[in-house]
Amino acid sequence: MGDVVKVNSFTMTEEEVKFDPKDHQHVRFNPMKGDWVLVSPHRMKRPWGGQVEPSNDEDPPEYDPNNPLCPGNIRANGHLTENYEHTYTFTNDFPALLEDVPDPPKSDDELFQMGPARGTCRVMCFHPKSNVTIALMDVEDVLKVIKQWIVEMNDLGKRWKWVQIFENRGALMGCSNAHPHCQIWTSSYLPNEARVKDQNLKDYYTRHMSPMLFDYMKKEVERRERLVLETQHWIVVVPYWAVWPFETMVLPRRQFIRMQDMTEDEQKSLAAVMKVLCTKYDNLFKCSFPYSMGWHGAPTGPELKDYRHWTFHGMYYPPLLRSATVKKHMVGYELLAQAQRDLTPEQAAEKLRVLPMVHYKHPEMSITEEELT
Ligand SMILES: O=C1CCN([C@@H]2O[C@H](COP(=O)(O)O)[C@@H](O)[C@H]2O)C(=O)N1
């Protein structure tokens, strides 16, 4: 047994000291999902001869008379989008979940199971102008988005067990409308991601009598290997188990379980964090950076249980890999075996951390370090 040496934040024997997570393949465990991601850092050197996505980076017009999300326009089914000045929410005209539908029959065959699914779908416009994004909005307007999210969570959380706020940004994410907006889908049951996360968070809490993500936040602040941003109230990391190349996670420095528990200062700080993170994302490949993002907090609904194992947190899942036109594909091995990444989370965090807070295309819309409290 050789001497013990310290490499990064791990202690290893001499036999292991040849291993370097920056150079050698390994798998990493995601304790929220209970699965593993393959990390192959040596692959970053391979030439790219694959598909190149068109970089469609022309700014959309401020107002499009044909865009149903623009103020004063008529939507499908003849509904009017009012002349709004900040955020605007409406029930999706083509919802994936409806509030009242008959229950499916019970089946006694475990191979053919159906369950009831009820819910509602809302669309929430962030801003009346079509040519802004979170990175390009005034931080006060981003704060208005956060405050409206809290209104929606409180309203929808009364009836629905799960309220999923999510933003698909950019055509690359299948977003059908360039106007700045998100969607909010609620359900009468815990969807898969929430159900699995709830169980893993609960198991961790039973073992440690402390919330997993609060412990994780404290360890990431201490280790400082995957930090992208940190303020008095929030940190942004590329999570240790990240799957998407530049995936990030937003974690509060204080333990609380839902978005609606945020203090005024935490809300203001989150608005600045979102704006700076999205600015760095745009600066990474000098394009309007596509992503899917969303928030997870303790389940809601009328029968409230003990959810102290939850910590409110945000997730950004951006598809781009090495340029504005090269995206990661979750296909083949990823679908049939397991998720795989080349760039390590630490390398991705370093790339994002060192990027400027001044927007490459609209510097006049940027905020300063002092405003990032
Ligand atoms: O008139 C319309 C246009 C789009 N929509 C809805 O807006 C949503 C646009 O969001 P996405 O671009 O993220 O798909 C989409 O779900 C679509 O159903 C309406 O509800 N009414």
Side-chain angles (χ1 to χ4, degrees), residues 21-153:
K22 289 194 303 300
D23 294 327
H24 303 133
Q25 73 225 28
H26 57 282
V27 284
R28 293 193 188 190
F29 184 65
N30 180 335
M32 296 189 296
K33 297 184 77 166
D35 61 16
W36 297 78
V37 56
L38 171 60
V39 183
S40 320
H42 53 284
R43 285 191 80 223
M44 276 306 284
K45 305 170 183 70
R46 79 188 188 289
W48 177 264
Q51 179 188 0
V52 177
E53 308 281 343
S55 168
N56 52 352
D57 204 13
E58 69 281 351
D59 285 344
E62 183 176 301
Y63 171 75
D64 173 356
N66 300 314
N67 188 329
L69 272 56
C70 287
N73 287 355
I74 299 295
R75 297 199 306 278
N77 308 341
H79 295 150
L80 170 69
T81 297
E82 293 161 26
N83 271 310
Y84 59 97
E85 292 182 3
H86 295 292
T87 65
Y88 179 72
T89 305
F90 60 89
T91 299
N92 200 311
D93 298 305
F94 312 97
L97 283 154
L98 294 166
E99 298 202 21
D100 292 310
V101 290
D103 280 356
K106 289 197 188 313
S107 157
D108 54 8
D109 184 332
E110 68 179 90
L111 298 182
F112 299 90
Q113 290 293 315
M114 278 188 190
R118 290 181 184 78
T120 188
C121 299
R122 292 182 179 172
V123 179
M124 183 183 135
C125 300
F126 290 162
H127 196 279
K129 292 181 181 176
S130 290
N131 59 346
V132 296
T133 61
I134 291 290
L136 302 178
M137 283 165 62
D138 291 334
V139 70
E140 295 76 18
D141 288 335
V142 180
L143 178 57
K144 286 187 174 66
V145 168
I146 293 169
K147 289 187 176 298
Q148 186 59 31
W149 278 338
I150 290 172
V151 167
E152 300 293 340
M153 285 300 297

Side-chain angles (χ1 to χ4, degrees), residues 221-262:
V221 169
E222 185 187 324
R223 294 178 178 214
R224 312 197 69 73
E225 295 168 313
R226 286 165 293 276
L227 281 173
V228 174
L229 279 174
E230 62 179 320
T231 72
Q232 181 188 344
H233 298 289
W234 301 93
I235 67 167
V236 178
V237 293
V238 176
Y240 180 77
W241 49 79
V243 167
W244 293 93
F246 292 97
E247 172 180 337
T248 53
M249 189 182 220
V250 182
L251 285 160
R253 304 285 290 255
R254 176 178 69 90
Q255 162 59 21
F256 60 90
I257 66 173
R258 293 192 184 93
M259 177 182 272
Q260 46 270 52
D261 302 335
M262 276 194 279

